[in-house]
Amino acid sequence: MSLVAPKHGYNVIQEIKEWTSGEVILAAGTMYSALENLLKKGWIVAIESDDKRRKIYELTEQGVEVVSKDYNRMLRNVELYQNVVSKKGGRNNV
């Protein structure tokens, strides 16, 4: 997730767009709904900001654990997929 360092929602949207070379563009409504869900789960917190119009968010310790577990889960899925592909003789045969 983009909240490894404190950011406001618009920065997260821009960072994701940049990281994906424009392939993933989140609508503001999608982002702010996701942030609300993450706040409710305790995976992020809103922190003080000089700009009262924008909330700044940061991962909690629990959020870091969740991101780490999900990252490892995705790596394992890639590994499993690569094993299947190599056994089938290439990507086009899956």
Side-chain angles (χ1 to χ4, degrees):
M1 174 163 201
S2 180
L3 292 174
V4 238
K7 291 184 181 66
H8 57 78
Y10 181 76
N11 282 133
V12 175
I13 290 170
Q14 292 304 109
E15 196 167 77
I16 290 170
K17 182 179 177 183
E18 184 179 312
W19 285 354
T20 64
S21 301
E23 289 186 35
V24 176
I25 300 173
L26 295 175
T30 301
M31 172 55 63
Y32 292 106
S33 292
L35 290 171
E36 284 302 316
N37 287 333
L38 295 172
L39 281 166
K40 287 177 187 173
K41 290 181 177 191
W43 297 352
I44 63 172
V45 291
I47 57 176
E48 292 282 325
S49 169
D50 293 337
D51 186 348
K52 299 299 178 198
R53 297 173 298 146
R54 294 182 174 166
K55 291 183 184 175
I56 302 241
Y57 302 95
E58 178 176 51
L59 282 171
T60 62
E61 199 171 301
Q62 183 184 12
V64 171
E65 288 177 29
V66 169
V67 169
S68 178
K69 286 179 183 177
D70 199 45
Y71 174 77
N72 289 326
R73 180 191 60 80
M74 287 187 278
L75 284 178
R76 180 69 181 136
N77 285 340
V78 168
E79 181 182 303
L80 292 170
Y81 175 75
Q82 288 172 334
N83 288 338
V84 168
V85 169
S86 67
K87 288 178 185 173
K88 297 281 185 178
R91 192 171 160 184
N92 296 327
N93 295 329
V94 176

